[in-house]
Amino acid sequence: MGTQHTGSEIEARQERLPRHIAIIMDGNGRWAQQRKLPRHAGHRAGVKSVRMVVEQCARRGIEVLTLFAFSSENWARPRQEVNQLMDLFMNALRGEIKRLQKNRVRLCIIGERRAFSEKLQKRIADAEQATENNDGRPLQIAANYGCRSSVSKASRRLPGLRLV
Ligand code: FPP
C-alpha cells in the first residue's frame, strides 16, 4: 500500500521545491545514437520529455519553467537538422496549445525571434497570444539565445555600459 501524506506534509515538501527551474535541452543526439536512431528521433523524444516536465511542474506548483531549447550557435548545425528543428518547433507550438491551456501555462518565447521565418514568428505570436490570459505558471522557451547577445542586450539597458 502506498504511503499516505497529510496536507501539511505535502505543503512542507512543496516548500522545499525551487520556485524557478531552468533546463538546458541537451543530449538528444546521443540519446538517439545509443538507440541507433536518427538525431531527429532524439529531438522528437526531447519534445515528449518537455511535455512531461511541463505537466509535472504545473502539478507541483513550480512558479517558472525556463527551457533553453535552441541557442544561436545551433544555426551552425547541418541545414537538414536545423530545418527539422524548426518544423518540430512549429508543430509543437500548434500541437501543445490545448495542453498548455489545460495546465493554465502562459507561454513566453525569449531570445531573438526575428531570425526565425515569418511563418514561425507568427506561430510564436499566436501561441503567446492564445495563452496570455492563463493565470498559471509561465513557461519560457529560450529560442535563438546566446550568451554574447544576451549580455549585449542586458548591457544596452545599463547606462554607460557597452559590450565591445
Ligand atoms: C540539444 O541536443 C537539443 C537541441 C539543440 C534542440 C532541442 C529543441 C527541440 C527538440 C525543440 C525545437 C525547438 C526550437 C526552439 C527550434 P543535442 O542535439 O545537442 O544532443 P547531443 O549533445 O547529444 O548531440
Side-chain angles (χ1 to χ4, degrees):
M1 211 161 86
T3 318
Q4 298 291 315
H5 293 286
T6 64
S8 56
E9 272 176 323
I10 292 169
E11 260 171 42
R13 282 193 317 164
Q14 277 174 343
E15 270 166 26
R16 285 202 292 272
L17 292 174
R19 293 171 61 194
H20 186 169
I21 295 182
I23 296 175
I24 300 175
M25 293 180 74
D26 194 18
N28 291 352
R30 274 162 288 163
W31 181 94
Q33 203 176 15
Q34 279 160 13
R35 288 158 182 79
K36 305 206 180 332
L37 294 168
R39 291 180 63 79
H40 185 54
H43 293 314
R44 278 204 311 262
V47 171
K48 223 168 146 184
S49 303
V50 163
R51 200 175 288 145
M52 240 161 53
V53 170
V54 171
E55 200 124 321
Q56 284 300 321
C57 284
R59 277 181 55 187
R60 286 161 192 267
I62 304 299
E63 284 173 36
V64 187
L65 173 63
T66 303
L67 296 174
F68 289 90
F70 184 88
S71 76
S72 46
E73 285 80 30
N74 289 150
W75 291 113
R77 293 193 173 205
R79 199 189 180 90
Q80 191 196 17
E81 186 174 348
V82 171
N83 288 343
Q84 285 172 335
L85 280 169
M86 295 303 139
D87 285 347
L88 204 55
F89 194 29
M90 282 279 272
N91 293 335
L93 282 169
R94 189 170 44 197
E96 299 301 317
I97 295 290
K98 263 197 193 145
R99 225 181 300 266
L100 294 177
Q101 304 286 36
K102 191 181 125 214
N103 290 309
R104 306 199 332 264
V105 172
R106 185 157 41 85
L107 186 69
C108 171
I109 308 298
I110 53 175
E112 188 47 78
R113 65 179 70 185
R114 278 176 302 183
F116 296 126
S117 71
E118 298 257 316
K119 214 170 146 189
L120 183 48
Q121 287 184 54
K122 163 111 179 46
R123 187 69 58 88
I124 290 173
D126 288 348
E128 285 177 332
Q129 206 176 10
T131 61
E132 72 185 352
N133 292 324
N134 286 346
D135 59 350
R137 286 94 200 158
L139 163 63
Q140 307 192 101
I141 299 185
N144 194 24
Y145 67 92
C147 82
R148 194 181 161 82
S149 64
S150 306
V151 174
S152 150
K153 233 182 204 169
S155 75
R156 264 181 255 132
R157 293 201 202 125
L158 299 172
L161 233 184
R162 284 285 168 275
L163 189 75
V164 286

